[in-house]
């Protein structure tokens, strides 16, 4: 079963409080999400494998460690996932970025993929699927399934806030996927919003509603 990691770091929790605050304006919201994404990327990459290498310092040879094998890939779910992507790239600039777009079919209420563009070597990378809000889990599950269909095996999910319902749905459909969140909130309301959450992440990020 994939683990749920709640990033309890004080800086993340401090910034998340301002992100939640409805008084926070669009510019500050975007900046704070970007900063939290950077901090979460630091936590999420704790277990990436290292290999030993030798470097020459000005004084002599030294044993160093570098991240081994292929680097990471990021797959933001459009559109709100974009708001966390640059923050992660600040720490992992060599990561390649794919994109996935999903809409909800009004008849079936199921997510439908309308756009997918992945790096050609996606299947050999560890991919971080990014969506700030893990609500019902429908989009995250569809994105993870789409990536698995294309041969991607090493998958992690990064969200700002999760509802227990979303976590349960992802754990059921993709039990091997680790989920990294800054907070797990109480529940979903009847409109599918996370309570207390932060409202609509995409709208708050881009000033739409
Ligand atoms: N998507 C959002 O942006 N906010 C929620 O609370 C749930 C889904």
């Amino acid at each position: 079963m994939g683990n749920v990691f709640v990033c309890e770091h004080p800086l993340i929790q401090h910034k998340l409080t301002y992100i939640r605050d409805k008084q926070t304006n669009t510019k500050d919201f975007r900046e704070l999400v970007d900063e939290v994404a950077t901090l979460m990327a630091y936590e999420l990459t704790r277990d990436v494998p290292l290999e030993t290498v030798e470097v020459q310092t000005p004084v002599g040879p030294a044993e160093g460690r570098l991240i081994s094998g292929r680097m990471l890939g990021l797959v933001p779910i459009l559109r709100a996932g974009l708001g966390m992507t640059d923050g992660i790239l600040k720490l992992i600039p060599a990561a390649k970025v794919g994109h996935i777009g999903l809409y909800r079919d009004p008849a079936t209420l199921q997510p439908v993929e309308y756009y997918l563009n992945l790096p050609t070597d996606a299947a050999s990378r560890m991919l971080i699927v990014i969506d700030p809000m893990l609500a019902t889990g429908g989009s995250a599950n569809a994105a993870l399934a789409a990536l698995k269909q294309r041969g991607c095996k090493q998958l992690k999910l990064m969200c700002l806030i999760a509802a227990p319902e979303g976590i349960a749905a992802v754990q059921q459909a993709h039990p091997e996927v680790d989920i990294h969140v800054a907070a797990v909130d109480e529940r979903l309301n009847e409109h599918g919003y996370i309570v207390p959450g932060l409202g609509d992440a995409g709208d708050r990020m881009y000033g739409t509603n």
Side-chain angles (χ1 to χ4, degrees), residues 4-13 16 36 39-41 43-44 158-159 179-183:
V4 179
F5 296 93
V6 183
C7 301
E8 298 280 6
H9 194 289
L11 284 173
I12 294 178
Q13 296 305 316
L16 181 63
V36 168
L39 295 167
M40 288 185 71
E43 294 283 345
L44 184 144
M158 187 198 278
C159 310
I179 304 171
H180 293 256
V181 298

Side-chain angles (χ1 to χ4, degrees), residues 133 135 192-194 199-201:
M133 306 302 276
Y193 279 89
I194 298 177
D200 188 296

Side-chain angles (χ1 to χ4, degrees), residues 2-171:
N3 291 310
V4 179
F5 296 93
V6 183
C7 301
E8 298 280 6
H9 194 289
L11 284 173
I12 294 178
Q13 296 305 316
H14 176 89
K15 290 174 191 294
L16 181 63
T17 302
Y18 286 109
I19 289 172
R20 289 184 188 275
D21 189 340
K22 68 177 185 185
Q23 310 270 27
T24 298
N25 66 32
T26 304
K27 172 180 172 289
D28 291 344
F29 185 93
R30 243 190 336 252
E31 286 175 4
L32 287 159
V33 169
D34 182 76
E35 289 167 6
V36 168
T38 305
L39 295 167
M40 288 185 71
Y42 177 78
E43 294 283 345
L44 184 144
T45 48
R46 256 178 205 289
D47 62 351
V48 298
L50 291 168
E51 65 189 13
T52 303
V53 296
E54 191 180 293
V55 289
Q56 299 295 325
T57 80
V59 182
E63 194 175 277
R65 291 186 299 161
L66 292 177
I67 293 172
S68 64
R70 286 207 185 265
M71 286 291 294
L72 305 172
L74 312 182
V75 186
I77 300 179
L78 303 176
R79 73 184 155 148
L82 291 176
M84 295 177 76
T85 304
D86 283 350
I88 303 171
L89 285 172
K90 279 184 196 133
L91 279 196
I92 317 168
K96 290 191 178 174
V97 183
H99 296 87
I100 183 161
L102 302 162
Y103 72 90
R104 190 191 282 217
D105 184 304
T108 65
L109 301 182
Q110 293 306 307
V112 179
E113 183 186 308
Y114 67 84
Y115 184 77
L116 183 84
N117 188 348
L118 296 177
T120 49
D121 59 0
S124 61
R125 290 178 177 253
M126 189 189 96
L127 298 181
I128 306 172
V129 176
I130 308 161
D131 197 359
M133 306 302 276
L134 179 58
T136 62
S139 300
N141 274 347
L144 291 165
L147 294 174
K148 284 183 181 177
Q149 222 175 42
R150 274 98 178 164
C152 306
K153 293 185 186 71
Q154 276 183 278
L155 302 169
K156 291 179 188 265
L157 178 62
M158 187 198 278
C159 310
L160 277 184
I161 301 178
E165 296 91 328
I167 290 176
V170 173
Q171 285 187 322

